[in-house]
PDB file of all heavy atoms in Angstrom:
ATOM      1  N   LEU N 135      -3.114  37.874 -36.397  1.00 97.00           N
ATOM      2  CA  LEU N 135      -2.552  36.953 -37.393  1.00 97.00           C
ATOM      3  C   LEU N 135      -1.185  37.417 -37.899  1.00 97.00           C
ATOM      4  O   LEU N 135      -0.215  36.662 -37.859  1.00 97.00           O
ATOM      5  CB  LEU N 135      -3.531  36.797 -38.551  1.00 97.00           C
ATOM      6  CG  LEU N 135      -3.229  35.689 -39.565  1.00 97.00           C
ATOM      7  CD1 LEU N 135      -3.024  34.337 -38.885  1.00 97.00           C
ATOM      8  CD2 LEU N 135      -4.352  35.597 -40.595  1.00 97.00           C
ATOM      9  N   ARG N 136      -1.108  38.664 -38.359  1.00 98.00           N
ATOM     10  CA  ARG N 136       0.201  39.186 -38.793  1.00 98.00           C
ATOM     11  C   ARG N 136       1.187  39.164 -37.636  1.00 98.00           C
ATOM     12  O   ARG N 136       2.359  38.785 -37.803  1.00 98.00           O
ATOM     13  CB  ARG N 136       0.029  40.610 -39.325  1.00 98.00           C
ATOM     14  CG  ARG N 136       1.332  41.329 -39.707  1.00 98.00           C
ATOM     15  CD  ARG N 136       1.035  42.786 -40.058  1.00 98.00           C
ATOM     16  NE  ARG N 136       2.240  43.580 -40.207  1.00 98.00           N
ATOM     17  CZ  ARG N 136       2.790  43.908 -41.372  1.00 98.00           C
ATOM     18  NH1 ARG N 136       2.252  43.470 -42.495  1.00 98.00           N
ATOM     19  NH2 ARG N 136       3.881  44.656 -41.413  1.00 98.00           N
ATOM     20  N   GLY N 137       0.741  39.549 -36.440  1.00 98.00           N
ATOM     21  CA  GLY N 137       1.626  39.563 -35.283  1.00 98.00           C
ATOM     22  C   GLY N 137       2.165  38.185 -34.947  1.00 98.00           C
ATOM     23  O   GLY N 137       3.352  38.016 -34.658  1.00 98.00           O
ATOM     24  N   SER N 138       1.303  37.176 -34.996  1.00 98.00           N
ATOM     25  CA  SER N 138       1.752  35.807 -34.709  1.00 98.00           C
ATOM     26  C   SER N 138       2.749  35.330 -35.759  1.00 98.00           C
ATOM     27  O   SER N 138       3.745  34.661 -35.440  1.00 98.00           O
ATOM     28  CB  SER N 138       0.546  34.860 -34.656  1.00 98.00           C
ATOM     29  OG  SER N 138      -0.295  35.192 -33.569  1.00 98.00           O
ATOM     30  N   PHE N 139       2.490  35.679 -37.017  1.00 98.00           N
ATOM     31  CA  PHE N 139       3.424  35.330 -38.097  1.00 98.00           C
ATOM     32  C   PHE N 139       4.780  35.997 -37.890  1.00 98.00           C
ATOM     33  O   PHE N 139       5.835  35.345 -37.964  1.00 98.00           O
ATOM     34  CB  PHE N 139       2.823  35.733 -39.443  1.00 98.00           C
ATOM     35  CG  PHE N 139       3.830  36.069 -40.500  1.00 98.00           C
ATOM     36  CD1 PHE N 139       4.688  35.098 -41.012  1.00 98.00           C
ATOM     37  CD2 PHE N 139       3.933  37.366 -40.996  1.00 98.00           C
ATOM     38  CE1 PHE N 139       5.635  35.421 -41.993  1.00 98.00           C
ATOM     39  CE2 PHE N 139       4.868  37.693 -41.971  1.00 98.00           C
ATOM     40  CZ  PHE N 139       5.721  36.716 -42.464  1.00 98.00           C
ATOM     41  N   LEU N 140       4.778  37.300 -37.619  1.00 98.00           N
ATOM     42  CA  LEU N 140       6.042  38.016 -37.468  1.00 98.00           C
ATOM     43  C   LEU N 140       6.844  37.512 -36.271  1.00 98.00           C
ATOM     44  O   LEU N 140       8.075  37.374 -36.349  1.00 98.00           O
ATOM     45  CB  LEU N 140       5.786  39.520 -37.337  1.00 98.00           C
ATOM     46  CG  LEU N 140       5.335  40.249 -38.607  1.00 98.00           C
ATOM     47  CD1 LEU N 140       5.037  41.710 -38.307  1.00 98.00           C
ATOM     48  CD2 LEU N 140       6.381  40.130 -39.716  1.00 98.00           C
ATOM     49  N   CYS N 141       6.161  37.239 -35.174  1.00 98.00           N
ATOM     50  CA  CYS N 141       6.869  36.736 -33.985  1.00 98.00           C
ATOM     51  C   CYS N 141       7.461  35.354 -34.247  1.00 98.00           C
ATOM     52  O   CYS N 141       8.599  35.066 -33.845  1.00 98.00           O
ATOM     53  CB  CYS N 141       5.925  36.711 -32.787  1.00 98.00           C
ATOM     54  SG  CYS N 141       5.500  38.343 -32.153  1.00 98.00           S
ATOM     55  N   ALA N 142       6.706  34.499 -34.938  1.00 98.00           N
ATOM     56  CA  ALA N 142       7.234  33.177 -35.279  1.00 98.00           C
ATOM     57  C   ALA N 142       8.416  33.299 -36.241  1.00 98.00           C
ATOM     58  O   ALA N 142       9.415  32.568 -36.122  1.00 98.00           O
ATOM     59  CB  ALA N 142       6.127  32.322 -35.897  1.00 98.00           C
ATOM     60  N   LYS N 143       8.320  34.227 -37.178  1.00 98.00           N
ATOM     61  CA  LYS N 143       9.411  34.433 -38.140  1.00 98.00           C
ATOM     62  C   LYS N 143      10.699  34.847 -37.434  1.00 98.00           C
ATOM     63  O   LYS N 143      11.795  34.384 -37.790  1.00 98.00           O
ATOM     64  CB  LYS N 143       8.999  35.500 -39.158  1.00 98.00           C
ATOM     65  CG  LYS N 143      10.044  35.775 -40.220  1.00 98.00           C
ATOM     66  CD  LYS N 143       9.581  36.869 -41.189  1.00 98.00           C
ATOM     67  CE  LYS N 143      10.666  37.163 -42.230  1.00 98.00           C
ATOM     68  NZ  LYS N 143      10.256  38.265 -43.145  1.00 98.00           N
TER      69      LYS N 143
END
Side-chain angles (χ1 to χ4, degrees):
L135 190 53
R136 175 187 170 100
S138 295
F139 151 66
L140 288 176
C141 289
K143 181 181 178 182

